[in-house]
Amino acid sequence: MTGQPDVTIPVPRRCPFAPPPEYQQLREQAPVARLTMASGRTAWVLTRHADIRAVLADPRFSSDRSHPGFPAPQQGQELASGFKFSLISMDPPEHGPARRGVAGEFTARRMQALQPQVQQLVHTHLDAMLAGPRPADLVQALALPVPSLVICGLLGVPYADHEFFQTRSAVLLRGRVPVNDRIQAGVDLMTYLDELVARREKDPTDDLIGRQLKAGTIEHGDLVSLALLLLIAGHETTANMISLSALALIENPAARRAIRDDPARTPGAVEELLRYFTITDLTLFRVALADIEVGGQLIRAGEPVISLSLAGNHDPEAFADPGRLDIGRDARPHLAFGFGPHQCLGQNLARMELQVVLDTLLRRVPDLNLAVRFEDLQFKDDAFVYGARELPVTW
Ligand code: HEM
């Protein structure tokens, strides 16, 4: 292919507020590009909103992480694919029934009923932060504990073990990490949840794990994998979105005022923040099961495909002036939660948590500010889920 930019995947973000410039180059010059990954293997890489939607909606692109053609951007990742990742790695015909078996736990109505509890948690954590010393790290004070407590409550996982599962989840989601560390983190978490599920089998509880056991439709090992997926996906993603959103609103006083003065704007602002940051840019991996044309390019059976959702969400064909954070725009249908049959199962929960946290934070801490220079902040450039490592704030 001529004129194709020389880009290796993954491309680190240099700034939290913009996609890497290579994404635009790719979209303009080679929107379906065969690129080398850091692992040394090649993959088809998509950067247009429409192409990404087409691939994610097409069941001929498999999510099976044990398929030899499945993308492994970093070296050693393929070794970690031996873990069972539950829904996220399933194809038809298994995926649909397995997803329906748990989807009832995450309906909009269920999440609405959970809202007062989340509100209370946010107040309690803000009370503690405001009563404590300045500066505070917003990640540890609010962004990480709130979604962790919520998913623990839903699953029936003791929050007292949060340090254990938070550190290991972070290792699993990091890109550049020694293979053995990744495997150890996975084994630790699986062992922990295996024991937890075994305890619940003897002594049933009224939580997601208990209800799955009561329904009797899922095997022990599959329930352990499902619990692992929900535990990891349920806290790390939302936590990163909370701290990045707070940062964006600190840096955009007009948007911050607009939301504070009119909370009816919050749901729209949350969608826009999800689009703008697309923290799960490097998660939409598939492998083609047939020869399929995408955007005029033939992708052959067995070839890996990476959908760069951050690029898709900054495609000017889909969103006008995509680099601008515009909380008044209609940011749907963005790709931050993916698209098609695997679209995020926890999106109603994530939306509700983000709305409650942002509304309450802006109302209770109207003069929230960074306690360090913006340039000194550190971000998770090497992780599958992007975010700020810490967010020192003052008020
Ligand atoms: C801002 C927060 C979140 C973001 C950006 C996010 C993003 C995503 C994305 C992009 C996918 C699609 C993966 C694919 O197609 O291969 C996904 C799937 C999934 N997410 Fe989320 N997620 C978030 C929060 C959550 C929460 C809170 C939970 C759990 C309670 C959750 C549970 C899941 C599950 C179980 C799947 C797999 C669904 C399936 O394969 O059928 N996510 N998420």
Side-chain angles (χ1 to χ4, degrees), residues 2 43 53 58 102 108 165 210 234 253 282 336 350:
T2 52
R53 288 216 331 170
D58 189 334
V102 68
F165 66 77
L282 264 183

Side-chain angles (χ1 to χ4, degrees), residues 98-362:
R99 184 168 164 128
R100 283 193 291 281
V102 68
E105 297 279 348
F106 295 98
T107 58
R109 183 134 52 97
R110 288 290 277 268
M111 296 306 115
Q112 227 177 338
L114 201 63
Q115 204 252 15
Q117 278 177 53
V118 175
Q119 180 68 73
Q120 194 49 52
L121 279 175
V122 175
H123 277 313
T124 311
H125 283 79
L126 281 178
D127 287 344
M129 185 180 98
L130 294 172
R134 273 176 273 183
D137 174 13
L138 198 77
V139 174
Q140 295 301 332
L142 184 74
L144 196 52
V146 169
S148 299
L149 276 156
V150 173
I151 196 67
C152 279
L154 278 172
L155 285 174
V157 167
Y159 182 70
D161 299 332
H162 67 277
E163 258 185 54
F164 169 83
F165 66 77
Q166 283 168 350
T167 47
R168 282 157 182 85
S169 302
V171 170
L172 277 184
L173 292 174
R174 220 180 285 154
R176 289 188 301 272
V177 66
V179 176
N180 287 340
D181 292 5
R182 191 196 298 281
I183 292 176
Q184 191 57 52
V187 169
D188 286 353
L189 284 169
M190 288 297 258
T191 309
Y192 171 80
L193 290 168
D194 179 51
E195 288 168 8
L196 185 91
V197 171
R199 282 204 303 278
R200 299 287 184 262
E201 279 160 355
K202 284 202 205 90
D203 192 5
T205 42
D206 186 21
D207 45 45
L208 189 151
I209 292 178
R211 283 187 290 274
Q212 290 287 312
L213 287 169
K214 199 168 164 201
T217 47
I218 186 165
E219 286 177 16
H220 175 94
D222 292 338
L223 182 52
V224 172
S225 302
L226 176 66
L228 176 67
L229 173 65
L230 292 171
L231 184 61
I232 297 177
H235 78 275
E236 178 77 21
T237 45
T238 313
N240 285 310
M241 263 314 292
I242 291 172
S243 43
L244 286 174
S245 301
L247 175 63
L249 295 172
I250 288 173
E251 297 290 306
N252 287 269
R256 176 162 147 184
R257 261 194 312 278
I259 300 176
R260 205 181 48 220
D261 294 349
D262 182 7
R265 286 177 150 249
T266 312
V270 164
E271 295 309 317
E272 172 66 347
L273 288 160
L274 284 160
R275 177 198 73 83
Y276 187 68
F277 287 116
T278 318
I279 56 168
T280 44
D281 179 37
L282 264 183
T283 51
L284 298 176
F285 302 157
R286 299 290 188 268
V287 51
L289 296 179
D291 294 354
I292 307 159
E293 204 184 287
V294 177
Q297 174 67 54
L298 184 66
I299 295 179
R300 294 206 176 273
E303 291 180 339
V305 183
I306 295 179
S307 294
L308 294 176
S309 44
L310 177 63
N313 275 343
H314 284 255
D315 180 349
E317 289 284 323
F319 302 102
D321 196 5
R324 197 161 71 88
L325 180 74
D326 174 5
I327 62 155
R329 83 161 84 223
D330 181 4
R332 296 222 216 173
H334 61 68
L335 303 164
F337 289 126
F339 186 71
H342 288 275
Q343 196 179 79
C344 181
L345 186 73
Q347 57 187 286
N348 293 325
L349 174 58
R351 285 193 172 101
M352 183 268 283
E353 290 179 320
L354 281 163
Q355 290 172 17
V356 173
V357 170
L358 293 183
D359 264 345
T360 316
L361 180 67
L362 296 187

Side-chain angles (χ1 to χ4, degrees), residues 35-70:
L35 299 180
T36 305
M37 299 181 275
S39 60
R41 292 167 57 184
T42 58
W44 291 104
V45 176
L46 312 181
T47 41
R48 276 197 306 226
H49 190 269
D51 293 339
I52 293 174
R53 288 216 331 170
V55 164
L56 296 180
D58 189 334
R60 294 172 301 166
F61 288 98
S62 163
S63 290
D64 180 2
R65 281 162 163 70
S66 65
H67 190 293
F70 199 78

